[in-house]
Amino acid sequence: MKLIAVDAGHGMNTAGKRTPMFSDGTIMKENEFNRATADYLVKALNRNGFKTILTAPDILDTPLQKRVQKANDAKADAFICIHANAYGDDWNNANGIESWIYEKSNQNTIHFAEDIQKELIAFTNRKNRGIKKSSDLYVLRTTNMMAVLVECGFLTNLEEATLLRSEKYRKECAEGICKGICKYYNMPYKLEQQDDNTEKKELYCCEKRYQNVNQLPYGKEVIQMLIDKGILKGNEKGDLDLTLDMVRLFMILNRIDAFEKIK
């Protein structure tokens, strides 16, 4: 059974790691996102057959050396460090998700990071900023195992900061990272199941949504036809927010000429 070290980047008191002020007068510290997402990730990994350790299990500013030593002493197979990005101190348009690895990483680490990055983007539908390499990030340079640091969005982007403080997005990030790890180790990914009296049902909160025609893997012609006819409209930003089940339903309706008389 593989052992994954999960690191909630920074601590609650780390200086400067927070959003600008929201319109309601509140802020969010980066550790609030990091810690909640790390906890969700541990649950997801345990559910999928992995062992886990938290390298910074409390809210204090755990030194980097202590985090790395804990992972190294446990002989973890992989190290995942969860962060949120920032650009400057004020609200701006910097956005997206990126994953960092040590510049001298081997091909195993590169493939590991690629799988995580791909699934993070699939689950969150955020901009893909790709895989980046660092020469000086301590947790990547001094760990004895594959190590990836994920930046799950920008604290200084109002849209992404709003997502970062939502439980839904935190779960999406955790599930995306988990599925990427499962993919790398060639293990089947299992969605969470929840007991509801005598029923068990899957949680589909992380089902991928498609915001425009070009993102769709199929059914583009049908969806574009519905847009042209004015049947299908997006939100105020033009986002369609379609699941593949919706696309398949529209395709079936089109086959039976349900839209034929609509001009």
Side-chain angles (χ1 to χ4, degrees), residues 1-262:
M1 185 179 292
K2 299 297 182 181
L3 175 62
I4 310 298
V6 179
D7 186 78
H10 301 303
M12 194 63 78
N13 297 322
T14 305
K17 304 300 182 179
R18 62 196 67 199
T19 66
M21 187 175 293
F22 290 96
S23 60
D24 62 2
T26 63
I27 62 162
M28 184 193 74
K29 294 183 178 181
E30 182 184 345
N31 182 263
E32 295 177 51
F33 167 79
N34 298 347
R35 183 161 306 283
T37 305
D39 289 341
Y40 285 131
L41 177 57
V42 166
K43 293 176 182 176
L45 288 168
N46 293 161
R47 185 179 74 236
N48 280 276
F50 294 93
K51 293 190 296 183
T52 55
I53 56 168
L54 281 167
T55 59
D58 53 43
I59 66 172
L60 301 178
D61 291 333
T62 306
L64 298 179
Q65 295 88 339
K66 187 174 181 179
R67 297 167 186 253
V68 169
Q69 183 178 356
K70 189 169 184 178
N72 286 343
D73 288 349
K75 294 181 169 49
D77 295 285
F79 181 96
I80 306 296
C81 188
I82 297 171
H83 280 265
N85 220 332
Y87 180 72
D89 299 317
D90 299 319
W91 298 119
N92 55 67
N93 294 324
N95 68 98
I97 291 175
E98 60 195 32
S99 294
W100 287 81
I101 58 176
Y102 182 46
E103 66 175 1
K104 296 181 181 180
S105 293
N106 58 26
Q107 286 298 311
N108 289 338
T109 302
I110 293 172
H111 293 323
F112 187 59
E114 288 173 343
D115 286 340
I116 290 172
Q117 177 73 9
K118 181 178 179 180
E119 295 303 331
L120 258 176
I121 298 303
F123 268 77
T124 63
N125 203 33
R126 305 308 301 171
K127 176 182 176 182
N128 188 351
R129 295 172 63 91
I131 308 295
K132 301 181 183 294
K133 295 184 178 182
S134 168
S135 62
D136 60 356
L137 286 174
Y138 187 87
V139 297
L140 302 180
R141 178 169 51 85
T142 59
T143 40
N144 295 335
M145 69 291 298
M146 298 185 299
V148 177
L149 185 152
V150 292
E151 297 276 12
C152 297
F154 278 76
L155 295 164
T156 49
N157 179 294
L158 181 57
E159 179 185 0
E160 291 194 342
T162 302
L163 289 172
L164 289 165
R165 67 175 181 174
S166 73
E167 294 306 304
K168 179 177 182 293
Y169 186 76
R170 293 170 181 181
K171 288 181 179 179
E172 287 175 349
C173 290
E175 294 295 336
I177 295 168
C178 179
K179 188 172 182 182
I181 294 172
C182 288
K183 182 178 180 181
Y184 176 81
Y185 284 112
N186 197 28
M187 294 176 63
Y189 166 71
K190 299 175 184 177
L191 273 171
E192 183 179 7
Q193 289 189 328
Q194 179 178 349
D195 287 325
D196 184 9
N197 296 327
T198 58
E199 291 184 300
K200 283 191 175 181
K201 57 184 180 180
E202 289 185 336
L203 299 179
Y204 290 101
C205 65
C206 303
E207 185 175 5
K208 183 173 181 179
R209 300 273 176 161
Y210 297 86
Q211 305 303 336
N212 60 62
V213 173
N214 291 331
Q215 291 178 351
L216 294 171
Y218 52 78
K220 294 181 181 180
E221 297 82 2
V222 173
I223 299 303
Q224 187 61 57
M225 178 269 291
L226 295 176
I227 293 172
D228 293 341
K229 288 179 176 286
I231 300 172
L232 187 61
K233 296 180 180 180
N235 59 20
E236 64 277 5
K237 295 181 181 180
D239 293 338
L240 298 175
D241 206 32
L242 294 172
T243 66
L244 289 181
D245 283 342
M246 295 177 189
V247 174
R248 284 191 284 267
L249 176 59
F250 285 131
M251 292 173 69
I252 292 170
L253 291 172
N254 186 59
R255 290 193 196 106
I256 63 174
D257 298 324
F259 310 115
E260 185 177 6
K261 295 182 179 179
I262 300 176

